[in-house]
Amino acid sequence: MTQPHLIIAAGGTGGHMFPAQALSEAMLRKGWRVTLSTDARGARYVGGFSHAVEIRQVSSATFTRGGPLAKLAVPFRIMGGVFSATLRMMREKPDVVVGFGGYPTIPAMAAARLTGRPRMLHEQNGVLGRVNRIFAKHVAHVACGTWPTDVPLGADAVHTGNPVRAAIVERGSAPYTPPGDWPMSLLVFGGSQGARILSDVVPAAIALLPEELRQHLRIAQQAREEDVARVQEAYDFLGMRVEVDTFLHEMPRRLSEAQLVICRSGASSVADINVVGRPAIYVPLAIAVRDEQTANARGPVEAGAAVLMPEAQFTPETLAQTIAEILSQPEAATQMSIAALSVAVPDATERLVELVESLAPNTTPKG
């Protein structure tokens, strides 16, 4: 039997590349040939992909970068990428093409449509990105990492969840230690765009907590490089035991040990927290164009697993009150943990694999 061929098209951000990497690994294990189609920017993120994945750079561009001349050239660069991808696809006849969003997805998805190849999309966030919205009604399925996801009428939305790392899935069985009169772990992190407001507000909120609660807290907080010193000083002033760094290693362990998490509601963060099953306070990124981070948090918030705190409401006073309410009610905190697990999708990668295989039922080797 001929080795089936999967083309994965993904843009140059971690949000697009991580689930693409998870799918590539699963399909390689099942005996598929896998090609990753991305642009020069995306090629910088391929270090985590297996050497068995063929990396193919295509001509693409985005309207959000560069000056007026660069923006004028965007349609022509994309058209060139589509033309090249179409010729190649006519020769190769891949069994399935999967797009994960971002402008580098356009050439492969357009070529798949022009050549009639089976195709689908994966959307990580609760609101479709621009490129995925363009193709949503022209693919067999839109695999949704967040549920519900806002998709165009006529698109076939399927809830698969967002793939999480194996190390996170392994921690899914770690029991939750409810808050009490013992050391409690508070984990605070935000994306590269979003950590500053956490640096501004969280230490000030901790200072407002009752001493009998604060003395039990052990805090690990991610901060921008320029904010590390002032965040550390704020906690030192309170005489607290904290760890402040630009990058927090061993996140699976940290999540499993946490009594409470405060973070942005990026799709991967929400997926990880749900799989481990931890109470959370989500602070959506206010400048997100489609407000997708609010949509990402909707599931756990409605399930009672998390509290949503928009930036306009994210003040030291409000945060301190919310932290105190969660950490002073062990039974309620435990219920939040259980609720997080109820909306988790630890088998998201397997669900994606099943969708891919359903598009090429006669070509999949036995895995």
Side-chain angles (χ1 to χ4, degrees), residues 159-164 169 275 344-354:
H159 183 207
T160 59
N162 282 310
V164 298
V169 174
V275 167
V345 189
D347 62 340
T349 302
E350 289 78 6
R351 293 187 186 193
L352 266 179
V353 168
E354 287 179 9

Side-chain angles (χ1 to χ4, degrees), residues 238-257:
L238 297 172
M240 296 192 65
R241 178 179 162 188
V242 300
E243 179 184 353
V244 183
D245 208 338
T246 55
F247 184 81
L248 297 177
H249 296 275
E250 300 182 63
M251 283 298 286
R253 174 185 62 80
R254 293 181 189 276
L255 280 172
S256 67
E257 293 175 354

Side-chain angles (χ1 to χ4, degrees), residues 50-65:
S50 166
H51 68 277
V53 175
E54 177 191 353
I55 309 299
R56 186 176 295 170
Q57 286 193 36
V58 296
S59 177
S60 188
T62 170
F63 289 97
T64 61
R65 294 172 180 267

Side-chain angles (χ1 to χ4, degrees), residues 60-274:
S60 188
T62 170
F63 289 97
T64 61
R65 294 172 180 267
L69 286 177
K71 287 181 170 62
L72 282 173
V74 167
F76 299 100
R77 292 189 62 185
I78 292 175
M79 285 170 60
V82 170
F83 181 73
S84 175
T86 300
L87 291 179
R88 197 162 201 163
M89 214 166 278
M90 289 172 68
R91 293 195 306 270
E92 293 183 340
K93 297 181 173 58
D95 296 282
V96 183
V97 181
V98 182
F100 283 85
Y103 279 88
T105 302
I106 294 176
M109 295 309 297
R113 188 181 178 203
L114 289 169
T115 57
R117 306 315 302 166
R119 55 202 179 274
M120 57 176 273
L121 297 170
H122 178 273
E123 174 58 54
Q124 190 184 37
N125 295 299
V127 180
L128 287 188
R130 294 186 188 92
V131 174
N132 277 356
R133 188 164 290 276
I134 292 170
F135 290 104
K137 292 194 286 187
H138 306 291
V139 297
H141 310 292
V142 179
C144 301
T146 301
W147 197 256
T149 296
D150 174 28
V151 300
L153 194 64
D156 180 52
V158 180
H159 183 207
T160 59
N162 282 310
V164 298
R165 291 163 287 173
I168 293 287
V169 174
E170 289 168 7
R171 296 282 178 167
S173 58
Y176 176 64
T177 302
D181 295 331
W182 43 75
M184 294 182 288
S185 295
L186 179 65
L187 180 59
V188 185
F189 62 93
S192 58
Q193 299 179 77
R196 175 162 291 159
I197 192 171
L198 302 181
S199 297
D200 293 340
V201 175
V202 177
I206 299 300
L208 296 175
L209 292 175
E211 173 61 26
E212 60 268 24
L213 175 57
R214 191 168 62 233
Q215 68 180 350
H216 294 300
L217 290 180
R218 305 292 182 264
I219 300 173
Q221 180 162 347
Q222 178 209 11
R224 290 185 176 191
E225 188 172 355
E226 63 268 27
D227 295 331
V228 168
R230 70 180 177 92
V231 172
Q232 185 70 56
E233 287 172 9
Y235 287 124
D236 288 346
F237 180 78
L238 297 172
M240 296 192 65
R241 178 179 162 188
V242 300
E243 179 184 353
V244 183
D245 208 338
T246 55
F247 184 81
L248 297 177
H249 296 275
E250 300 182 63
M251 283 298 286
R253 174 185 62 80
R254 293 181 189 276
L255 280 172
S256 67
E257 293 175 354
Q259 273 67 49
L260 177 62
V261 182
I262 303 172
C263 64
R264 291 298 199 188
S265 44
S268 289
S269 297
V270 173
D272 287 352
I273 291 167
N274 287 340

Side-chain angles (χ1 to χ4, degrees), residues 200-210 281 309 311-325:
D200 293 340
V201 175
V202 177
I206 299 300
L208 296 175
L209 292 175
I281 298 171
M309 203 170 286
E311 286 188 15
Q313 301 170 22
F314 190 61
T315 65
E317 294 77 15
T318 304
L319 179 60
Q321 181 181 351
T322 305
I323 293 172
E325 287 175 354

